[in-house]
Amino acid sequence: MTAPLAYRVTDVHVHIQPWRDMKPPVQEAMRRGKEAHWDFLLAMMDDPAVLLEIMDRSGIWRVGLVNYVSPDVMGFTDSTNDFAARYAQAEPERLLPYGGVHPRFTRDPAGDVDRLVDLGIRLLKIHPPHMMFPANAYTDGLEPLAAIYRRCEERGLPVMIHTGTSIFPGARSKYGNPLEIDDVAIDFPDLRIVMAHGGRPFWMDEAFFILRRHPNVLLDVSGIPPRRLLEYFPRLGEIASKVLWGTDWPSPGVKDLRQNVEQFLTLPLADAERRAVLETNSLTLFPAG
Ligand SMILES: [Zn+2]
């Protein structure tokens, strides 16, 4: 048993998804490097008890279950939303289900957002490289995307937007530029936006600019090796009140929920900053109970 952490940690970015639905080439990319644990990971996607046991062992209080719709690139259909909602029912206080609406496939964007809220979904994820449009594509004619953002803003549903590259076959990394969040933050000023991955590996300047410019944009540090976080964001302390803890586990390269936290704790940050990142900022976004 590992020692308890000094913080009630919420990891806002964990990939608990219906992996069995992934297209074969995507599944192949996901499998690489974790062939030995593949069956275990699939079993975890089927059974929340497996994940909860890992969370207990790692001393992690809550996790956000990243789900989004990407039928053409990844293989995830609307059923991913029911999957997330059902999975989280095993322990609703600790499992935060995320879901999605795909603006290129939906026929009723606002109604679909309402259905997510009814399901108990806590955040809507937009993944531009896996959905094949930039995050501000409504400025260029993708009207359902504006309808989704607008409805999320009205319903108080936070939106997470992937930034940075993606290694999966078919993903379009050019849509990962965080600068495109500028439009979204301006046009939907009451929408709470979570910028995932901070534009890693090469758009950190853009990401930092957006984070400082817009009060409604938060950073989720998942996917950035924690030990190198201050190399990517040397002025992280300045924005500590907007930083959310996340790992991207069990995506390629991310081995362990707990190890990432421990590496983060070795960084020269003040205790108040650590607590903000690991515990309190996410409590504001996702109040407990
Ligand atoms: Zn991710």
Side-chain angles (χ1 to χ4, degrees):
M1 192 68 198
T2 28
L5 289 163
Y7 312 94
R8 295 186 96 191
V9 176
T10 299
D11 183 331
V12 301
H13 199 124
V14 164
H15 282 273
I16 297 293
Q17 291 163 286
W19 277 11
R20 295 176 196 280
D21 294 350
M22 285 189 297
K23 295 185 157 225
V26 173
Q27 207 165 120
E28 214 29 64
M30 189 64 105
R31 231 175 111 98
R32 220 164 289 146
K34 40 181 175 283
E35 290 83 356
H37 321 285
W38 186 247
D39 288 338
F40 175 79
L41 291 172
L42 284 183
M44 178 175 74
M45 303 306 167
D46 294 337
D47 183 2
V50 177
L51 174 66
L52 286 161
E53 201 271 324
I54 292 171
M55 290 166 64
D56 287 342
R57 192 156 22 94
S58 310
I60 303 298
W61 176 38
R62 305 191 296 177
V63 299
L65 312 172
V66 174
N67 279 272
Y68 55 93
V69 178
S70 171
D72 45 352
V73 176
M74 297 295 282
F76 299 124
T77 66
D78 284 330
S79 69
T80 197
N81 297 319
D82 299 301
F83 166 87
R86 203 178 331 111
Y87 197 95
Q89 276 167 12
E91 200 161 345
E93 197 208 345
R94 300 181 67 196
L95 305 175
L96 313 170
Y98 302 170
V101 177
H102 198 309
R104 289 194 295 104
F105 292 93
T106 178
R107 292 198 203 124
D108 179 12
D112 281 349
V113 170
D114 287 341
R115 277 181 278 281
L116 293 187
V117 174
D118 292 344
L119 268 176
I121 295 292
R122 304 286 293 268
L123 171 148
L124 180 142
K125 168 107 186 234
I126 295 285
H127 199 310
H130 293 177
M131 292 178 162
M132 296 204 279
F133 55 76
N136 62 351
Y138 63 87
T139 62
D140 201 25
L142 188 63
E143 189 42 43
L145 182 58
I148 291 167
Y149 288 143
R150 196 174 307 119
R151 197 65 176 156
C152 287
E153 185 181 39
E154 288 164 0
R155 300 297 307 262
L157 189 65
V159 171
M160 176 184 281
I161 300 177
H162 172 102
T163 64
T165 54
S166 170
I167 53 128
F168 291 106
R172 310 284 168 130
S173 288
K174 68 177 175 184
Y175 298 132
N177 190 335
L179 206 51
E180 283 145 3
I181 294 179
D182 194 41
D183 281 330
V184 187
I186 293 165
D187 294 334
F188 306 94
D190 293 325
L191 181 65
R192 288 173 300 165
I193 301 165
V194 178
M195 177 202 291
H197 319 310
R200 181 179 177 264
F202 40 62
W203 283 303
M204 279 71 63
D205 287 344
E206 288 84 344
F208 192 68
F209 170 80
I210 296 298
L211 287 160
R212 294 219 310 153
R213 166 154 163 65
H214 297 293
N216 53 334
V217 181
L218 305 169
L219 169 66
D220 140 22
V221 296
S222 64
I224 303 172
R227 246 196 291 255
R228 299 187 55 200
L229 187 53
L230 293 176
E231 292 170 38
Y232 282 97
F233 291 98
R235 294 160 69 190
L236 191 81
E238 277 177 47
I239 53 165
S241 66
K242 322 184 74 183
V243 179
L244 303 166
W245 179 249
T247 58
D248 216 19
W249 182 80
S251 283
V254 188
K255 285 199 197 73
D256 189 82
L257 289 175
R258 171 66 173 237
Q259 195 182 74
N260 275 38
V261 175
E262 282 171 358
Q263 289 180 359
F264 173 74
L265 290 175
T266 66
L267 299 177
L269 291 167
D271 183 60
E273 293 166 347
R274 290 177 180 168
R275 185 169 298 278
V277 173
L278 293 170
E279 179 172 323
T280 50
N281 294 340
S282 52
L283 270 169
T284 307
L285 189 67
F286 302 120

